Amino acid sequence: MKSRGSLNTESMSKTGYIFYIMRHPVEGYEELRWNKKSSLKLSIVILLAWFITEIVKFTGTGFIVNKQNPENLNIFIIFLNTIIIFTICIISNWCFCSVLDGEGKFKEIWITCSYALAPYIIITLLVTLASNFIVKQEYVFLQYIQAAGIGWMCILMIAAIKVTHQYNLRKTILSIFLTALGVCIVLFICMLFLSMLQNFLIFIDTLYWEIVFRCK
């Protein structure tokens, strides 16, 4: 059995761990935890890179295959679909895994899951760039590459949750299911709240104009 020292990861930089994890997910996360080389600042940089990548993807995809109108870019919607959703996912996972005897702290879950976004970011940027130099019939190959990036990210996410909480595969899958359920519940409550708020504002507006008309 290989010792941790033989892997030569103790001297590896914090940034280097990201690329090591991309090649060796489970082993990489275990080494990250053992050597305490995780970085909250680096995780935030990765999340910002993801946010910027989605903006670049929306506006920079080749016009031949881009189904989005760059003029309809909404920064808030992209922020909501990236940073906010990620935050809700981490909170949900932390809450459920605390009940399931998970060992991961909130900060650890945040960092390890953010590291899992790295292959998606890299591949998405490459696909976006390449989409400007191909014909429409060739775009299907880029879609396969993009799908591979998403699959790679999912594998890293599963490894991150498994190692961070010290779960077996069955418990890891259960925690992911509960996390998704928690996200759906939070989104439902948010939509319900916004709907009630909208109805309340409409009621206040109607009441205001009713009072104005009666006072005339």
Side-chain angles (χ1 to χ4, degrees):
M1 184 176 179
K2 266 187 175 182
S3 65
R4 294 184 183 276
S6 64
L7 292 173
N8 195 29
T9 54
E10 292 184 6
S11 60
M12 191 180 296
S13 68
K14 293 181 179 181
T15 304
Y17 261 99
I18 297 176
F19 298 98
Y20 180 69
I21 288 170
M22 287 170 61
R23 291 181 285 115
H24 308 283
V26 175
E27 191 177 69
Y29 278 122
E30 287 177 346
E31 291 296 321
L32 182 71
R33 188 181 187 190
W34 178 265
N35 293 324
K36 297 181 180 180
K37 286 292 184 74
S38 60
S39 171
L40 181 59
K41 291 181 180 179
L42 187 56
S43 72
I44 293 174
V45 170
I46 293 173
L47 288 174
L48 291 176
W50 180 30
F51 172 64
I52 294 171
T53 296
E54 292 301 323
I55 295 176
V56 172
K57 179 183 176 182
F58 192 97
T59 59
T61 300
F63 70 93
I64 296 178
V65 294
N66 194 353
K67 298 179 181 179
Q68 308 289 344
N69 185 352
E71 295 181 357
N72 295 332
L73 175 66
N74 189 321
I75 299 294
F76 175 75
I77 295 298
I78 294 179
F79 184 80
L80 181 67
N81 290 334
T82 53
I83 308 299
I84 299 300
I85 290 296
F86 180 85
T87 303
I88 294 174
C89 286
I90 300 303
I91 293 173
S92 176
N93 183 264
W94 175 68
C95 290
F96 281 110
C97 289
S98 296
V99 178
L100 295 174
D101 299 322
E103 295 184 12
K105 299 177 182 178
F106 183 86
K107 179 181 176 181
E108 294 172 338
I109 304 169
W110 176 284
I111 293 174
T112 54
C113 288
S114 66
Y115 281 16
L117 296 169
Y120 173 81
I121 294 171
I122 295 171
I123 290 178
T124 299
L125 289 174
L126 292 175
V127 168
T128 301
L129 177 63
S131 67
N132 291 276
F133 302 97
I134 63 169
V135 296
K136 191 172 184 178
Q137 291 76 8
E138 296 172 335
Y139 186 62
V140 64
F141 297 106
L142 293 183
Q143 289 179 312
Y144 287 140
I145 296 174
Q146 183 73 76
I150 294 173
W152 195 354
M153 176 188 68
C154 290
I155 291 173
L156 295 185
M157 283 286 184
I158 294 172
I161 294 172
K162 182 180 184 298
V163 173
T164 302
H165 294 295
Q166 293 295 292
Y167 284 160
N168 55 32
L169 184 60
R170 182 178 179 181
K171 209 167 185 179
T172 300
I173 294 174
L174 175 61
S175 68
I176 292 173
F177 171 77
L178 292 176
T179 298
L181 179 62
V183 172
C184 291
I185 292 173
V186 171
L187 293 179
F188 174 76
I189 293 174
C190 289
M191 291 176 64
L192 186 63
F193 173 76
L194 290 175
S195 177
M196 293 177 61
L197 180 62
Q198 183 181 30
N199 290 334
F200 176 74
L201 292 176
I202 292 174
F203 170 75
I204 294 298
D205 183 68
T206 303
L207 182 63
Y208 169 77
W209 287 112
E210 182 72 21
I211 294 174
V212 170
F213 288 141
R214 287 182 177 275
C215 291
K216 285 185 178 181

